Amino acid sequence: MATITSLGVGSGLDLTGLLDQLQEAERGKLAPITRQKEQQQDKISAYGQLQTSLNSFQDAVAKLNDPKLYQSLSANVRGDAIKATASASALPGSYRVEVSQLATSGTLASNRITGEKNAALDLQGATAIRLNFGGADSVDIAIAPNSSLEAIRNAINAHKDAGVNATIINDGEGYRLALSSKATGADASIEGFSFVDTSQAPAATVAGPFSEDAATKRSGENAALTVNGIAISSAKNQIEGAIQGVTLNLAELSIAEGETATSTISVERDTLKQREAINGFVKAFNDLKGTIGKLTSFNGDSETAGELVGDSTVRTIESRLRNVLTGGVEGGELGTLNQLGITLQRDGKLAVDDDKLSDLVANNPQALSDFFAGDKKENGLAGKLSTTIDQMLSNNGVVKLAISGAENRIKSLGERFERMEKSIEGTIARYRTQFSQLDAMIAQMNSMSSYLTQQFDALDAQLGRKR
């Protein structure tokens, strides 16, 4: 049988076009599997949106589960630029603060040396430089014999307990060693230095090539202030304890010599943080409900339906959250969200009665703390909600199980797609073989027909000549 290299050449039929149509029809069997895979992928994306909304709601719940929220106080400052922050231990009240002196660091500079700053100095056997501080403390820092000014500076800066920063200053005529205290206050102030020979016991002071210059020394000072007339001294410009639970920061004050900066600090209960946290909780829950509504929407048009219409995972999440929200808590003055002015609406969202909530925040923060935070982290409403959400978002929770289920279905559909695709390829290959055989057969028949026609024509011609 003759070999056909291109379908339809032998028969004259459009077998290639017919084979393409058959292939397209066979591959149409893959379309439902592709759609199912896309639907499962859309579900995974929808579960991701649901998980993000649950995480946001959990963050809002966590803020309510902190007892410190309901004890929070704010420090409001009127007057010069003193900054004040209040902790939970502060007490409401008004305080007049007068600052006459900021805490400063001590500085000094050595006498001038006229040689190069990296030239060796005659230290006359000194093995250390001794730094003396205002609190009568001193620090010995080892130096090599005949160290240069640079080497002395480097040794001081390398010592973790030096208490000063060392630099070299060029005053136009020579070099000076400049020291400045790392900490503020009189006790931490650098007051002087000397060279000593620590190889002797006790260490002996030796004459050095230079000493500190009294004209360039400035002693560090403590901050001086009064709080409601009580004098206070502090080595730091950040002062704790002058007002119970309040930290004062004087660092940005600018006080001219002989003048006083006066401020009034009012410590008040910070109701704003509580209202923001509770309203944030309500908003986060309503946002979650909005996300669920979008993912489960259906208006009769399947093409615009939400990805999770009728999904059991969503129903489980809504049911468990509703049970906790409506169940309330026991043992406190407040037992339900309704008593806070927070009500569950017909559409499943929460609404807030601002007047009722503001009254509780201003006058009964402890009742709010008992309701949301409880006496233990898991006892209040926020703790119960947090536990429930943790369970739903855990590796064995409904959300992760739903995602893994959709992923497994996608994997199964992919394997089914591959099997069917191989089956279609086999079917098309079989069709191609059969069409090739048909093409060759028709070509052979056409050739035979042509041969017989020629023979009959020749026979007719012979018979005609005999007649």
Side-chain angles (χ1 to χ4, degrees), residues 182-422:
K182 292 181 179 180
T184 57
D187 288 348
S189 174
I190 182 69
E191 293 296 321
F193 67 86
S194 58
F195 291 94
V196 295
D197 180 3
T198 54
S199 64
Q200 303 182 42
T205 302
V206 299
F210 55 85
S211 60
E212 65 269 23
D213 187 348
T216 61
K217 182 169 73 174
R218 186 184 68 190
S219 295
E221 295 183 301
N222 289 347
L225 64 154
T226 64
V227 176
N228 287 352
I230 301 173
I232 294 171
S233 177
S234 171
K236 299 179 179 180
N237 286 316
Q238 183 169 300
I239 303 169
E240 299 178 357
I243 301 173
Q244 180 178 325
V246 177
T247 299
L248 303 177
N249 194 331
L250 316 180
E252 296 183 10
L253 273 177
S254 178
I255 304 174
E257 186 175 353
E259 294 186 357
T260 299
T262 303
S263 298
T264 299
I265 299 174
S266 299
V267 180
E268 302 169 343
R269 191 169 300 282
D270 191 353
T271 59
L272 178 61
K273 286 185 179 179
Q274 296 174 42
R275 290 199 304 274
E276 286 179 343
I278 295 173
N279 283 318
F281 156 78
V282 170
K283 181 180 183 303
F285 178 79
N286 289 342
D287 288 345
L288 172 61
K289 287 293 296 181
T291 298
I292 291 175
K294 182 184 71 172
L295 297 176
T296 59
S297 63
F298 183 74
N299 58 6
D301 182 1
S302 60
E303 293 184 1
T304 59
E307 293 84 355
L308 301 181
V309 173
D311 190 87
S312 61
T313 299
V314 176
R315 292 197 301 269
T316 299
I317 290 172
E318 287 189 299
S319 175
R320 294 185 65 180
L321 289 178
R322 189 185 306 111
N323 288 340
V324 178
L325 288 171
T326 57
V329 296
E330 298 178 355
E333 184 179 341
L334 300 172
T336 66
L337 282 172
N338 285 342
Q339 292 177 285
L340 278 69
I342 302 174
T343 53
L344 196 62
Q345 305 299 294
R346 294 181 63 181
D347 62 358
K349 294 185 177 181
L350 297 175
V352 181
D353 183 335
D354 290 328
D355 292 338
K356 193 170 185 178
L357 179 62
S358 295
D359 180 63
L360 282 170
V361 169
N363 301 311
N364 203 349
Q366 187 58 48
L368 288 174
S369 178
D370 293 341
F371 178 78
F372 282 115
D375 57 350
K376 293 183 180 178
K377 199 165 187 177
E378 65 277 6
N379 285 0
L381 181 70
K384 292 180 178 180
L385 281 170
S386 183
T387 299
T388 300
I389 298 171
D390 281 339
Q391 292 171 351
M392 292 190 293
L393 293 178
S394 68
N395 289 333
N396 294 321
V398 292
V399 177
K400 292 291 178 65
L401 290 178
I403 292 174
S404 62
E407 289 173 340
N408 290 335
R409 285 190 287 275
I410 289 176
K411 182 179 178 182
S412 177
L413 288 166
E415 293 170 352
R416 181 180 166 192
F417 186 96
E418 291 178 1
R419 290 195 303 270
M420 185 169 288
E421 194 169 39
K422 288 181 181 178

Side-chain angles (χ1 to χ4, degrees), residues 92-146:
S94 180
Y95 306 89
R96 180 182 174 87
V97 179
E98 297 180 350
V99 183
S100 56
Q101 171 65 47
L102 297 180
T104 59
S105 302
T107 62
L108 64 80
S110 71
N111 284 320
R112 181 187 306 118
I113 64 168
T114 55
E116 293 298 324
K117 59 183 177 181
N118 58 356
L121 300 173
D122 181 10
L123 301 181
Q124 300 184 18
T127 59
I129 182 171
R130 176 169 292 171
L131 307 179
N132 301 310
F133 295 90
D137 294 330
S138 63
V139 177
D140 288 348
I141 299 174
I143 55 176
N146 300 322

